[in-house]
Amino acid sequence: STGSRGGPVLQVYEPLCTQEKHKKILAKKSTIEKTMMEAHAVREDPLPSNGITSLLNNVGHKVRLAFKRDEQMLLVASSVSTQKIPYGSVRSVQSEVIVGDESRCIVTLEVGKSSSKYFFYYVPKNYVTALRNELMGRW
């Protein structure tokens, strides 16, 4: 796009953790704080066999990510339901560090032809690379 004088317009990126819709979910950290997995800002670890637990989804509910490798399926489990996402339908896995809690990230999955976005909050940073590799088919 162009400015009023025909020149380019500079668009400043606003981190997810400072955007209002994400701040509302991040404010619910106390609901999972006692059960959160240990997180490391620098180390990279393989995915835990029991999945990644004590996360928040885009509506602020506590969820667990489980990996059914034999079925190539990601399970997003909450206390009320389990959603199945085939690995092949994941178009991208993006992550952004949470400012003030640099050992944890907001992870965004783009899924399906319409690129629906699923947000997961407080993902331990040490699992992000393994999560991306698992879902995007890089072993």
Side-chain angles (χ1 to χ4, degrees), residues 14-27 121:
E14 183 181 0
L16 292 177
C17 63
T18 63
Q19 296 174 24
E20 198 57 41
K21 70 178 184 177
H22 299 291
K23 283 171 68 172
K24 288 179 182 178
I25 305 298
L26 292 170
Y121 301 84

Side-chain angles (χ1 to χ4, degrees), residues 39-43 97 102-105 123-129:
H40 301 276
V42 179
R43 192 174 79 200
V97 169
E102 283 72 18
S103 64
R104 299 188 185 279
C105 297
V123 177
K125 188 175 182 221
N126 44 304
Y127 298 124
V128 170
T129 298

Side-chain angles (χ1 to χ4, degrees), residues 1-138:
S1 67
T2 59
S4 60
R5 297 184 181 197
V9 174
L10 177 64
Q11 291 191 352
V12 178
Y13 177 75
E14 183 181 0
L16 292 177
C17 63
T18 63
Q19 296 174 24
E20 198 57 41
K21 70 178 184 177
H22 299 291
K23 283 171 68 172
K24 288 179 182 178
I25 305 298
L26 292 170
K28 297 181 179 190
K29 180 180 183 179
S30 64
T31 64
I32 61 169
E33 208 158 22
K34 290 180 182 171
T35 59
M36 291 170 76
M37 299 177 76
E38 188 177 344
H40 301 276
V42 179
R43 192 174 79 200
E44 289 187 2
D45 293 319
L47 292 172
S49 58
N50 64 334
I52 303 174
T53 60
S54 294
L55 307 176
L56 295 175
N57 66 9
N58 57 320
V59 293
H61 293 152
K62 184 177 175 178
V63 296
R64 175 174 72 99
L65 302 181
F67 306 91
K68 293 281 190 178
R69 290 187 168 114
D70 55 331
E71 298 174 34
Q72 295 288 286
M73 192 77 63
L74 170 66
L75 304 180
V76 182
S78 72
S79 62
V80 294
S81 68
T82 299
Q83 183 174 8
K84 296 180 178 183
I85 301 173
Y87 287 6
S89 70
V90 178
R91 299 172 67 89
S92 76
V93 178
Q94 300 166 1
S95 64
E96 193 172 299
V97 169
I98 297 170
V99 175
D101 193 353
E102 283 72 18
S103 64
R104 299 188 185 279
C105 297
I106 299 173
V107 171
T108 308
L109 302 184
E110 286 188 43
V111 178
K113 291 184 170 108
S114 62
S115 292
S116 298
K117 289 187 178 181
Y118 293 81
F119 294 96
F120 300 100
Y121 301 84
Y122 296 107
V123 177
K125 188 175 182 221
N126 44 304
Y127 298 124
V128 170
T129 298
L131 172 65
R132 183 177 291 116
N133 291 345
E134 179 75 19
L135 299 178
M136 301 304 295
R138 295 179 198 98

